[in-house]
Amino acid sequence: MSSTTVWHVWGRVAGPNLPASPLTLDDIVVGLTRDSPLPEVGNVNPTPNGAHSHFANIESSTRSESPCFVRVTVSAEGPFEALGKANLQQVPLLQAALSLRQEGLSHRIQLVAVDGPGGMQGLSGQAAVALFKDEPLDHEGVERVRQNHTALTSNAAARRAAMLLARGIRLLDLGSDVALVGASLLAHFQVLEAVGTSIPAEPPKDYGEQRTQLMEALRAELDSPATPSKKATAIRRCEADLGRLDAKYTSLRIANAGAVLGMSQEWQSAATALGKLRNTKLGHSAESVPFSEFAPWLPQGTGIYGFSALSLAKSLLDAWIERLVNG
């Protein structure tokens, strides 16, 4: 007979407005300090850094040690564009060519330098660092965290949306590879989907009249001497129109959620644009997407109608949690 053991998993939290004393959220305690009974293990005791808390991300990269090198020739305006093209186009094909139809682990390829008009340049992972001031959560902030946690754990769709939000953030922390960035943007769009499909859509006041008109138009088409091909097209068109009338499609459900939760017109426009990107470039077996198409959607990008994919997802989830908390 097997038995289970209780474990304590320790970690650090960096960010603004951290709890000044232990805050218990079900099976989580956040806000422990060196004055608390922390275990004597590595990476637990904080390191002085001049800030209350900080984090540093260095993008994940593969280190390959081998006597075998590869040289990829590309046309580019600069070393970073050359690196991006090689990583996006030639390296995946080479990795597949080496790894397919053989037993064992797949090959790994690490690009280590770019050689060009400016000479040889070594490559290193990108890094991000953030330092936070000592601004403890006040009583109102502690209560807000409790309410957020209760809402997220008591509503399955809200929990799913929170998981997707965190997934998108983690993927961006892993690196700037176009596949990771695309997966992050997809996760943040899925936050919009999770919220959108959880808020009932109000049918239009003339719902019955519109539905009757669609059915009568279809009946007239089927009774006409039109070709079978045209009649099949009419059936598909009617099905699509009925789907829009019922707010069946994701874009309509997200727009409805935005309207119900009072999101701005700029938010609605940005959500529509991200939806188009999702439908054409994210989560499909299409050609690889240039990084330039994803860059505006990143937190450090220029934004679309003033929003990144992360801020779109976070603002909608913020508004929904506020609604769940306050009714």
Side-chain angles (χ1 to χ4, degrees):
M1 182 176 180
S2 61
S3 61
T4 59
T5 303
V6 174
W7 298 86
H8 295 294
V9 181
W10 297 85
R12 283 176 167 173
V13 182
N17 308 118
L18 296 174
S21 59
L23 170 61
T24 301
L25 305 168
D26 295 337
D27 51 3
I28 300 170
V29 181
V30 60
L32 297 172
T33 66
R34 277 194 293 182
D35 298 328
S36 305
L38 297 178
E40 293 298 328
V41 296
N43 203 34
V44 169
N45 293 324
T47 301
N49 53 64
H52 179 57
S53 69
H54 79 288
F55 70 77
N57 289 323
I58 300 176
E59 75 174 352
S60 175
S61 62
T62 297
R63 180 175 179 177
S64 298
E65 297 288 348
S66 171
C68 177
F69 286 83
V70 58
R71 185 181 67 197
V72 180
T73 301
V74 298
S75 297
E77 294 183 2
F80 292 108
E81 183 183 353
L83 172 65
K85 283 188 174 183
N87 254 327
L88 190 65
Q89 299 171 7
Q90 285 92 341
V91 167
L93 295 178
L94 175 61
Q95 186 173 24
L98 291 170
S99 302
L100 292 174
R101 297 199 294 174
Q102 61 136 14
E103 298 294 329
L105 295 173
S106 297
H107 291 70
R108 299 295 193 273
I109 300 170
Q110 176 192 8
L111 299 181
V112 296
V114 178
D115 187 15
M120 182 80 76
Q121 299 185 38
L123 305 177
S124 61
Q126 295 190 41
V129 177
L131 305 177
F132 301 98
K133 296 179 180 179
D134 184 1
E135 296 177 342
L137 274 175
D138 55 18
H139 175 76
E140 182 180 345
V142 169
E143 183 59 25
R144 184 180 66 251
V145 172
R146 289 189 188 278
Q147 292 174 346
N148 289 347
H149 189 263
T150 299
L152 294 173
T153 54
S154 60
N155 184 296
R159 181 186 182 93
R160 173 64 176 161
M163 295 291 189
L164 288 164
L165 185 74
R167 179 190 298 174
I169 295 170
R170 286 197 302 271
L171 285 166
L172 282 183
D173 285 345
L174 289 175
S176 57
D177 180 271
V178 69
L180 290 171
V181 173
S184 173
L185 299 185
L186 177 59
H188 286 149
F189 179 78
Q190 288 171 332
V191 174
L192 308 187
E193 289 183 311
V195 178
T197 55
S198 300
I199 296 180
E202 289 291 332
K205 294 181 179 180
D206 60 345
Y207 175 84
E209 180 182 344
Q210 289 192 48
R211 184 175 61 179
T212 298
Q213 290 176 352
L214 290 173
M215 299 302 294
E216 287 178 350
L218 175 61
R219 185 179 296 109
E221 187 74 23
L222 295 178
D223 291 341
S224 73
T227 64
S229 177
K230 289 184 177 180
K231 291 182 178 182
T233 299
I235 293 172
R236 287 191 289 269
R237 184 173 59 247
C238 182
E239 181 183 19
D241 290 340
L242 288 171
R244 279 189 286 272
L245 186 60
D246 292 332
K248 173 183 175 182
Y249 301 111
T250 298
S251 59
L252 298 176
R253 298 301 298 269
I254 293 173
N256 172 71
V260 169
L261 296 174
M263 309 308 291
S264 67
Q265 184 56 54
E266 291 79 12
W267 187 96
Q268 292 279 18
S269 298
T272 298
L274 184 58
K276 290 180 179 178
L277 182 72
R278 186 264 180 272
N279 290 336
T280 56
K281 303 294 176 63
L282 301 175
H284 299 287
S285 58
E287 289 292 325
S288 297
V289 184
F291 184 83
S292 59
E293 294 195 34
F294 290 162
W297 288 105
L298 299 178
Q300 65 270 32
T302 56
I304 305 297
Y305 300 102
F307 290 91
S308 67
L310 173 58
S311 64
L312 264 182
K314 186 175 181 295
S315 57
L316 186 66
L317 188 53
D318 278 345
W320 191 34
I321 295 302
E322 187 74 22
R323 184 184 181 91
L324 291 175
V325 169
N326 297 320

